[in-house]
Every structure is written in structure tokens, then in C-alpha cells.
Amino acid sequence: MGFLSLFFSVMAYNAPMVVVIGIIPIMVSTGAGLGTPVSFLTAGLILATFAVGFTRMSKIMPKPGGFYSMITAGLGREIGLGSGLVALLGYFCVYAGTFPFGGLVLGELVHVTLNGPDLPWYVWGTIFWVASSILGFMKVELSAKVLTIFLFLELVVIVAYDFMVFVSGGANHAGVSIAPLAPAHWLDGSFPLGLLLALGMYGGFEVTVLFREEVRNPSRIIPRVTYAVIATAMVIYGLSSLAFINSIGVDQVVEAATADPTGSMTQSLQAFGGQVLSDAANVMVNTSTFAVILAAHNITARYFFNLSADGILPRKLSGVHARHGSPHIASVATSIAGLVLNVIMIFTGVPAIDFYTAMLGITSFVILGVIFVAGVAVPMYMHRHGHEHSAWSRYFFPGVSIIGLGAGLILAAVNFPLLVGGSTSLATILMVLITGLFVLGIVLAMVYRRTRPETYARIGRQ
């Protein structure tokens, strides 16, 4: 893959259309309120400081192990393996957990917009599963091309909406207000919760390193794509949240979003883009959802591949297709595991939206935690081996990112019941599962150090 293929593959994982239509109104209503644009900017800057060390490590680490490799290099094989298993859980939850949401939005598009049949969500979700399984098995560049087309169309719709709101002058046609950017509005709602939600919308840039062996000139392209993804997300989310606030009115938007988050955005789209833009947005939510599923499938498969190549998982999972160059066996394993989990969920009667919420809650907490650990590991490694880099890249920027990511992780832990749907008992069970998986990785590494030293030596793609 070249720059654009990798950029669109990573950006697609962030699902900008889903964020604009589904997340921004929720952040305005229950998060930072009018300070939502600032939440996105703050989260982007925190991750940009993390990216300073991350991109330098991407040039040092020769194998595509992602955070798994970086954490191992900086903090040791025990912490590295624990973090790798937890990261695998996080990405798999995105993949498997998004099928119910995809089935719901596709079913609504077919039944409500196109006047088609009203079928259970899992019928439509199966379409997403089949398509992602086929594309995930093939050469990664094919997936990149599909994601490029979908993401480009998403960005066209989002830019058109923002442009129409800004040009028309907002709800009262009196000019766009930049009051939400003023410090006086930063604390209107819950800035900590707004920051937590915003941090969760920037996930996926680890993909740049995971695809290292499938990228042309990775030492140049990976850093450029990483910064480009963060910068693009900051601009899109920041401007779109400002546009949404102005489209309804600074004084009315919080009340409107609280009363009906999805409906308020739909009304905004219709008011400034007409039915055509509203229908296009509904279609793009479906393509954006599929892009998330496909990107998460590819990431999960490569984590299976990396852990298999190190001897942690069965060796067969590290097979590479002779023609496509893809980790095809790991891809098939990912597809089967996702299908099995959803079938279990269907037969146990778990509501689709509850399952989706819980899976994304796990992912939000887990990936933020792994990024934080990686943020600690990178400067530790740089301190020991990166003397050719400046003090800014070795200490200052990593230190800032540790503070910001640490604050976000604490917020995620405190609000974990909210992240997984509000159930304290479910949150406790899931937290035990996540912690137990991390401890399992540490224990396995300690066992391998004594009984299988050759496997221990390979942990973290070392």
C-alpha cells in the first residue's frame, strides 16, 4: 500500500460518518455540551504528542507487531504479552460487536427509506459478515481500495454539510458563532466525559504499524499517515461539531440534542442539505459501518498472525497466502470467531443494541489502556536506546501524552459502567475479564521463560 491506501484504511476505522451522525449529538447532550469542539481538539493534541514517540518507534521496530511490539521492547515481554492479548480482545470486540449495529442501520435503510422488507437485524448483519470475510481473506490492497471509495464518499457528505451550515450562517442565518471555542463554554457540560468520548473517536492509527510489511517504504509513509489521520480527524470532528451546534443554535442545541440525539442531527441534515443530503448520509452510515467492520477484521487477523508467529497461538494461524500475501488463516479464524459470538448472542436473547454498546465500551477502555501503556513504554525504550533523538521527542512530548492518556484512562475506569450500558454488575464482570486476560499474558510469559525459552525470546516480534 502507498500513502493514500494506508491513510484511507486507517481513517475508515474511525468511521467519521458514524461519529458525525451518532456520536457528536450524544457528546453535546451528555458530554462537554457546547465545549464538544474543544474536546475533540484536546484529544487530538494529546494523541499527537503520543504520535511523536510512536512514529519514531515505528522506524526502529522492524516487524509489524504494533503496540504489542513496542510495549514489549520498552517494558519487557511479560507486560508486552499481557498488553497484546488485551489489544486483541479490544479489536475483536469492535469487529464482532458492530454486526448488530450494522444489521440495524441496514435494516432501517432498506425498510424505512427504500420501503423494503422488515427483517431481523441478523439477516442484514450477515451481509456485512460475508463481505468482510471475503475481502479480509484477499490481498489487503483490495480492502484498501474499497475503504478508500467508501471513506471518500463519507467525507464528501460531511464536507458538504459543514459547508452549507457555515455558508448559510447557521440556524438564524446571522453568521456562524465561535462561542463554543471560548474558555467560558469549556466546562458547560462534563469536560472530563467529553474528553473520554473524544479520545475514543481517534482509535485505529496503530494500523499503520500493523500493516508495515504490506506498505511501500514504511519508514516514510507510516509517520506521515499517522499524523495525517490525527490531523484530519481533528479538523472533521471539530468543524462538524461546531457546524451542528450552529445549525440548531448555541442556545437551543443542548436541549434539542438531549431530547432526541439522532433526530436532532437528522433534522439538521435535512434543514441545510435537503432530503438528498439526508438520504446520502443514511447510506453513508451503512458504508461507514461496513468500513469499521472490515478494518477491525483486518486488524484482528494481524494480531492473531503476530501472536501465532511468536508461538503464543497455534502456528497455523501465521500462514500467509501464496497469491494474496494476506494472513488468510488468521482471517478465516477471525471470521469464524465473530460469527460464533454473534450466534451465541442471538440464541441467548441479548438485545442487539445492548450487545453493541457493551462491545464498544470494552474496546474504548481496552484500547485507551493499551495506548497508555505504549505511551509509557516508548520513552522507556528511547531513554535506553534512542540517544540520537532530541529531549523533546524522548521526554517532553511522551510526558505530556502520558499525563493526558492517564487522565483519560482514569476517567474510563470510573465511568466504565456507563461505557458498557449502565450495568454495574456487567461492568464488574467485564473488568475482571479484561484484567484477567492481562494477568494471563504476564503469567504465560513467565512460564515460557522457564519452560519454552525459544518462545519467550520471540514475544513481541523480537
Side-chain angles (χ1 to χ4, degrees), residues 232-251:
T232 302
M234 285 178 64
V235 172
I236 290 175
Y237 300 158
L239 288 180
S240 296
S241 56
L242 186 62
F244 172 67
I245 291 171
N246 277 275
S247 71
I248 297 178
V250 174
D251 297 329

Side-chain angles (χ1 to χ4, degrees), residues 423-438:
S423 171
T424 303
S425 58
L426 176 62
T428 301
I429 293 172
L430 294 176
M431 187 65 77
V432 170
L433 171 65
I434 295 168
T435 305
L437 191 60
F438 181 70

Side-chain angles (χ1 to χ4, degrees), residues 178-191:
I178 59 172
L181 302 179
H185 292 291
W186 293 359
L187 302 178
D188 281 358
S190 172
F191 182 78

Side-chain angles (χ1 to χ4, degrees), residues 61-360:
M61 306 302 295
K63 295 182 180 180
F67 294 147
Y68 167 51
S69 291
M70 294 183 181
I71 293 171
T72 300
L75 298 177
R77 289 171 172 80
E78 289 78 10
I79 302 296
L81 182 54
S83 299
L85 294 178
V86 169
L88 172 60
L89 171 67
Y91 288 121
F92 176 73
C93 285
V94 175
Y95 168 66
T98 307
F99 286 117
F101 179 77
L104 291 173
V105 296
L106 181 55
E108 182 177 356
L109 175 66
V110 172
H111 179 61
V112 178
T113 305
L114 303 178
N115 297 316
D118 184 13
L119 299 175
W121 71 263
Y122 47 82
V123 175
W124 307 113
T126 301
I127 296 175
F128 287 110
W129 180 81
V130 172
S132 63
S133 297
I134 293 173
L135 288 174
F137 184 90
M138 308 291 281
K139 187 176 181 180
V140 71
E141 191 172 358
L142 178 59
S143 294
K145 290 178 179 178
V146 173
L147 294 176
T148 297
I149 295 172
F150 286 168
L151 182 61
F152 177 77
L153 295 175
E154 287 182 52
L155 295 180
V156 168
V157 173
I158 293 172
V159 170
Y161 166 71
D162 292 347
F163 177 79
M164 291 174 182
V165 173
F166 290 139
V167 168
S168 64
N172 300 319
H173 306 289
V176 173
S177 171
I178 59 172
L181 302 179
H185 292 291
W186 293 359
L187 302 178
D188 281 358
S190 172
F191 182 78
L193 184 56
L195 177 62
L196 170 61
L197 293 171
L199 283 169
M201 300 304 107
Y202 284 86
F205 57 85
E206 182 191 8
V207 179
T208 56
V209 179
L210 289 174
F211 287 166
R212 182 181 180 89
E213 290 181 346
E214 298 162 276
V215 174
R216 296 193 303 269
N217 196 358
S219 294
R220 293 183 61 188
I221 290 179
I222 288 176
R224 292 178 181 180
V225 170
T226 301
Y227 287 117
V229 166
I230 294 173
T232 302
M234 285 178 64
V235 172
I236 290 175
Y237 300 158
L239 288 180
S240 296
S241 56
L242 186 62
F244 172 67
I245 291 171
N246 277 275
S247 71
I248 297 178
V250 174
D251 297 329
Q252 294 83 31
V253 67
V254 174
E255 181 180 354
T258 302
D260 187 359
T262 304
S264 60
M265 178 56 81
T266 300
Q267 293 172 8
S268 177
L269 284 164
Q270 291 177 341
F272 291 90
Q275 192 62 42
V276 173
L277 188 63
S278 179
D279 289 342
N282 288 333
V283 173
M284 290 300 101
V285 166
N286 282 270
T287 61
S288 183
T289 301
F290 175 68
V292 172
I293 292 173
L294 179 57
H297 176 281
N298 288 338
I299 298 171
T300 302
R302 278 151 185 81
Y303 255 98
F304 274 130
F305 173 86
N306 287 327
L307 289 166
S308 171
D310 287 349
I312 307 302
L313 296 178
R315 279 287 189 178
K316 194 171 183 179
L317 291 173
S318 59
V320 177
H321 197 280
R323 183 157 59 93
H324 301 302
S326 62
H328 62 299
I329 300 178
S331 176
V332 172
T334 299
S335 299
I336 293 174
L339 177 63
V340 169
L341 182 59
N342 275 271
V343 169
I344 293 173
M345 186 269 290
I346 293 169
F347 279 101
T348 54
V350 178
I353 199 65
D354 292 348
F355 179 70
Y356 171 69
T357 300
M359 291 297 99
L360 287 196

Side-chain angles (χ1 to χ4, degrees), residues 346-427:
I346 293 169
F347 279 101
T348 54
V350 178
I353 199 65
D354 292 348
F355 179 70
Y356 171 69
T357 300
M359 291 297 99
L360 287 196
I362 294 172
T363 298
S364 298
F365 178 75
V366 160
I367 300 303
L368 182 57
V370 172
I371 294 175
F372 171 75
V373 177
V376 175
V378 168
M380 292 290 289
Y381 182 88
M382 290 290 185
H383 177 71
R384 294 196 301 265
H385 305 284
H387 299 294
E388 69 276 11
H389 298 296
S390 68
W392 289 91
S393 62
R394 283 190 289 157
Y395 302 116
F396 178 77
F397 288 115
V400 172
S401 72
I402 289 172
I403 294 173
L405 292 170
L409 184 59
I410 292 172
L411 291 171
V414 172
N415 293 281
F416 192 62
L418 177 64
L419 289 177
V420 297
S423 171
T424 303
S425 58
L426 176 62

